[in-house]
Amino acid sequence: MPTERVTFTGHSGDRLAARLDLPEGPHLATALFAHCFTCGKDIAAARRISARLAAMGFAVLRFDFTGLGHSGGEFANTTFRSNVADLGAAAEYLTARDMPPGLLIGHSLGGAAMLRAARHIASARAVVTIGAPFDPDHATRNFSEALETIERDGAAEVDLGGRPVTIGRDFVRDVQGQALAEDIAHLKRALLILHAPRDSVVDISNATRIFTTARHPKSFVTLGDADHLVSAAEDAEYAAGVIAAWSGRYLDLRRPAPPVGAPEGVTRVTEADPGGFLQDVQNGPHHHMVADEPEAYGGTDRGPSPYGFLSAGLGACTSMTIRMYARRKGWPLEGVSVDVRHDKVHAQDAGTAQDTRIDRFTRRITLEGPLTDDQRARLLEIADRCPVHRTLEAGAHITTELA
């Protein structure tokens, strides 16, 4: 999806670096994403979730908080309240672009900050937390052994996820003095809580406390075996799908009517596993699949192979064509199933004079219902009129260009 690199002014006047992921089709809604503690806008979970939502019609803004990533300012001088203020500044930036955020998403401490900020973002209709703590001071558990030094010296460098980060006294005192119970209880927005039962950084009991404190409408969905950072692609994709489906109940996501004669939407295929063959397949804004190869061919067998998709297209088109004809004739066709097998054979074995190997698709069609023999024979003939069948038999011209 297209992405704009933008900047806006944060709470302290520093320029904050952001990415605005945009849908290729109609813009249905805007989301604001807040990343986890000391992470950044380009963390895998933020990137993948934003991309998936953009494919579904959302514009998504993700940015680096003050002092992190490519944003200006000093992280050592930030606090929980300054993060909340940065979220407010991000919402104002989107509103000024006539894209007020209706959906707010916060990951980990970013989720806690979003729970505080949501009440002050007028356009917000729905809030999502991912692995969020009930109390902001939960973040200090990541460097509890340095708390005494920070209090004594005013700041200390700590190791967080293999990265040296300077934590200031003001941040520690600020998060220790924050309580979100009132913000959650008076959120007055729909709330979706996503949390992994095996989250070893923020225990799932935090999700329970958020859920019991919040008032309806509220929902709680577990993220299976996901880790705290939701680093696995399939977990991020699942989270994005849940968010998009859930938010549709609270946001006006009605799609504008397509112009007359508009072509069918683009299918985008993106590599999901550079070490294997897994592919992320997005067909229009609503249909997501994965393609792969069997383990015997170096893949992970998590989705159909490319020829599996081709066979599925032929089978689906065949079944639809048969159903459409039987419906028009008023025939008692109760069910259709099409088994498709693909293999490569010598052209002569397929009944041609060529001395080469060609692709052969074999269909086995099952027709259910009290049909006459003549009706069954006619429907078998109609199967050959399937548009995909005709495309495969006639061949197609493929134009390739570099984006």
Side-chain angles (χ1 to χ4, degrees), residues 74-135:
E74 295 294 330
F75 180 74
N77 297 328
T78 63
T79 64
F80 180 76
R81 278 177 287 190
S82 73
N83 286 348
V84 173
D86 280 345
L87 288 173
E92 291 176 1
Y93 166 79
L94 288 170
T95 301
R97 289 193 55 168
D98 197 27
M99 302 170 69
L103 176 63
L104 309 179
I105 307 170
H107 182 196
S108 192
L109 188 63
M114 201 62 91
L115 289 170
R116 170 63 55 82
R119 296 173 63 190
H120 307 289
I121 299 177
S123 59
R125 296 291 178 268
V127 180
V128 179
T129 63
I130 305 172
F134 180 75
D135 292 314

Side-chain angles (χ1 to χ4, degrees), residues 9 13 16 27 48-49 65 109 115 171 186 255 263 276 375 389 392:
T9 304
L16 304 186
H27 169 216
R48 289 170 178 151
I49 291 174
F65 282 111
L109 188 63
L115 289 170
F171 177 86
H186 298 90
R255 302 184 64 82
Q375 288 172 335
H389 177 119
L392 289 172

Side-chain angles (χ1 to χ4, degrees), residues 59-200:
V60 186
L61 182 75
R62 47 191 170 100
F63 69 96
D64 294 324
F65 282 111
T66 299
L68 291 174
H70 298 94
S71 290
E74 295 294 330
F75 180 74
N77 297 328
T78 63
T79 64
F80 180 76
R81 278 177 287 190
S82 73
N83 286 348
V84 173
D86 280 345
L87 288 173
E92 291 176 1
Y93 166 79
L94 288 170
T95 301
R97 289 193 55 168
D98 197 27
M99 302 170 69
L103 176 63
L104 309 179
I105 307 170
H107 182 196
S108 192
L109 188 63
M114 201 62 91
L115 289 170
R116 170 63 55 82
R119 296 173 63 190
H120 307 289
I121 299 177
S123 59
R125 296 291 178 268
V127 180
V128 179
T129 63
I130 305 172
F134 180 75
D135 292 314
D137 71 346
H138 189 283
T140 62
R141 299 183 187 183
N142 295 289
F143 49 88
S144 56
E145 71 285 348
L147 290 177
E148 185 176 335
T149 302
I150 294 171
E151 180 62 30
R152 183 186 66 244
D153 300 339
E157 187 176 273
V158 300
D159 182 276
L160 292 177
R163 294 184 300 121
V165 178
T166 300
I167 303 295
R169 180 193 295 141
D170 288 344
F171 177 86
V172 174
R173 290 180 175 177
D174 189 46
V175 295
Q176 289 178 338
Q178 300 296 325
L180 295 178
E182 183 176 351
D183 296 281
I184 297 170
H186 298 90
L187 190 62
K188 295 183 179 180
R189 275 98 174 147
L191 176 63
L192 170 63
I193 303 162
L194 299 177
H195 212 113
R198 298 182 181 180
D199 190 331
S200 60

